[in-house]
Amino acid sequence: MTLHTSIGRINITDQVISKIAGTAAKATDGIVSMTAGLVDGAVKHLSGKRMMKGIQVKISDAMVSVELRIIVQHGLKIHEVCHGLQRNVREAIEQLSGLTVAEVHVRVEGLSLS
């Protein structure tokens, strides 16, 4: 994404937005991990630096759409955890990048029993 200012351009890559979203997800209560999706019938868990693997970012016309694939802690209200995640991701991206978040889609791919 390229933003034009009075003194030049600012380029923000999808990877930067993905890192912001991953950091916000990691800080959200009830999120155990991100997933890269189903691999050979098992969920592949990711964390730390590789957390962006469970995140897809699309930027167009200074509007950001994010999709996150997550594992939620068992025993918590999934809809509340996901709503908190959506709010945290939107706030973090908008505050740190200056871009507007149009959508934050969450796909719950599993529950952690530990």
Side-chain angles (χ1 to χ4, degrees):
M1 162 49 59
T2 301
L3 301 172
H4 297 277
T5 68
S6 61
I7 58 173
R9 290 187 312 256
I10 300 170
N11 293 312
I12 302 173
T13 66
D14 292 1
Q15 292 84 4
V16 170
I17 301 302
S18 182
K19 271 194 174 182
I20 294 169
T23 300
K26 197 173 183 181
T28 301
D29 290 336
I31 304 298
V32 174
S33 64
M34 304 296 291
T35 71
L38 297 176
V39 178
D40 296 324
V43 176
K44 183 177 178 183
H45 296 268
L46 301 172
S47 62
K49 292 180 184 176
R50 296 179 61 211
M51 192 171 221
M52 288 79 60
K53 297 291 184 183
I55 303 169
Q56 292 180 338
V57 173
K58 293 180 185 172
I59 304 173
S60 88
D61 300 326
M63 298 291 284
V64 178
S65 295
V66 180
E67 181 178 322
L68 302 112
R69 294 180 305 271
I70 62 168
I71 304 295
V72 175
Q73 178 63 46
H74 181 271
L76 299 178
K77 294 180 179 179
I78 295 171
H79 68 282
E80 290 178 4
V81 172
C82 292
H83 182 69
L85 174 61
Q86 289 173 314
R87 185 178 53 250
N88 290 347
V89 168
R90 169 179 265 162
E91 288 173 2
I93 291 170
E94 289 182 349
Q95 288 177 3
L96 295 174
S97 73
L99 299 172
T100 300
V101 176
E103 304 171 315
V104 178
H105 299 287
V106 178
R107 181 178 177 141
V108 179
E109 293 196 341
L111 294 174
S112 174
L113 300 177
S114 54

